[in-house]
């Protein structure tokens, strides 16, 4: 299993500013994942954070808007840049571990972001 | 069409009622997960299953691989069960998770 500490848990930000979300895992993991959950929607994968290389972004997400750092195997940050009200969502970091042949997912506590 | 469909979207129950949440999926999977999301946004994994049935306390999860369907049951529901329950599948072809939109459960004392 993995225990993930994510912060901040919530924030209210002015449009045009940036917010950095931190995610700390209690064990070394190869890949960390950042998700966005817009109100009433399912989780959408933003990007996969790889240690030692650039993050891999999903269609519709770009590095300039969501820069990601992964300085080591237990830590990652996601920045939401130049925010607008449309960025108001819950952001979650996640890790996946292999349990025998099955892949299990663990999630942080989430960051509830409101942009005003 | 979403790869994972859940029903109902919203559910209100009286304390003590038996609750069922359904999940259907359209992709090939290696495992299905039931997750619980608390009001603050944090997500906890309840079950991971690839066949049959699992039980943890008052929670029971079943899966029918042939029908691509799973159910989450809560027996003797309690207000502390109030949360959003999310069905997620791990695709064995795309090597990624697909998530349902969740079922918001409110249990009234």
């Amino acid at each position: 299993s993995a225990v993930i500490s994510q912060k901040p848990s919530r924030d209210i930000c002015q449009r045009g500013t940036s917010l950095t979300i931190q995610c700390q895992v209690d064990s070394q993991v190869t890949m960390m994942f950042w998700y966005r959950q817009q109100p009433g929607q399912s989780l959408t994968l933003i990007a996969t954070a790889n240690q030692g290389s650039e993050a891999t972004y999903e269609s519709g997400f770009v590095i300039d808007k969501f820069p990601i750092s992964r300085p080591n195997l237990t830590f990652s940050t996601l920045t939401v840049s130049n925010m607008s009200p449309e960025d108001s969502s819950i952001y979650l970091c996640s890790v996946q571990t292999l349990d025998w042949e099955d892949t299990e997912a663990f999630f942080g506590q989430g960051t509830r972001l409101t942009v005003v | 069409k979403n790869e994972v469909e859940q029903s109902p979207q919203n559910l209100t129950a009286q304390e003590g009622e038996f609750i069922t949440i359904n999940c259907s999926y359209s992709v090939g999977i290696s495992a299905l997960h039931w997750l619980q999301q608390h009001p603050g946004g944090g997500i906890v994994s309840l079950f991971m299953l690839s066949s049959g049935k699992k039980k943890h306390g008052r929670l029971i999860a079943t899966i029918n691989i042939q029908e691509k369907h799973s159910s989450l049951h809560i027996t003797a529901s309690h207000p502390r069960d109030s949360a959003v329950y999310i069905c997620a599948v791990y695709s064995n072809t795309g090597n990624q998770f697909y998530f349902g939109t969740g079922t918001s459960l409110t249990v009234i004392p």
Side-chain angles (χ1 to χ4, degrees), chain B residues 46-47 49 53-62 73 75:
Chain B
L46 297 175
F47 292 104
L49 65 164
K53 173 176 159 179
K54 285 190 177 180
K55 184 175 188 294
H56 289 160
R58 295 181 294 106
L59 302 178
I60 303 168
T62 64
H73 305 286
T75 62

Side-chain angles (χ1 to χ4, degrees), chain A residues 3-114:
Chain A
V3 177
I4 303 173
S5 175
Q6 183 178 340
K7 57 182 182 181
S9 59
R10 58 175 59 229
D11 208 343
I12 301 173
C13 300
Q14 297 288 327
R15 69 173 66 204
T17 62
S18 299
L19 175 72
T20 296
I21 303 167
Q22 299 181 3
C23 186
Q24 178 78 50
V25 189
D26 69 341
S27 57
Q28 294 185 337
V29 292
T30 305
M31 293 191 291
M32 295 175 72
F33 303 87
W34 287 99
Y35 290 91
R36 180 176 73 182
Q37 186 184 29
Q38 294 177 303
Q41 304 292 316
S42 59
L43 277 72
T44 301
L45 182 63
I46 298 171
T48 303
N50 310 300
Q51 195 270 333
S53 64
E54 212 168 79
T56 307
Y57 288 83
E58 298 299 307
S59 175
F61 298 97
V62 295
I63 188 171
D64 289 346
K65 176 66 176 177
F66 297 102
I68 286 172
S69 79
R70 183 83 198 274
N72 56 55
L73 290 173
T74 63
F75 187 79
S76 179
T77 67
L78 169 76
T79 299
V80 186
S81 302
N82 188 26
M83 288 183 284
S84 67
E86 292 71 34
D87 295 319
S88 298
S89 293
I90 296 173
Y91 292 85
L92 292 130
C93 69
S94 173
V95 301
Q96 296 169 11
T97 62
L98 203 58
D99 177 12
W100 293 97
E101 294 179 336
D102 292 327
T103 298
E104 188 164 9
F106 300 91
F107 294 87
Q109 300 95 323
T111 297
R112 186 180 292 272
L113 171 63
T114 303

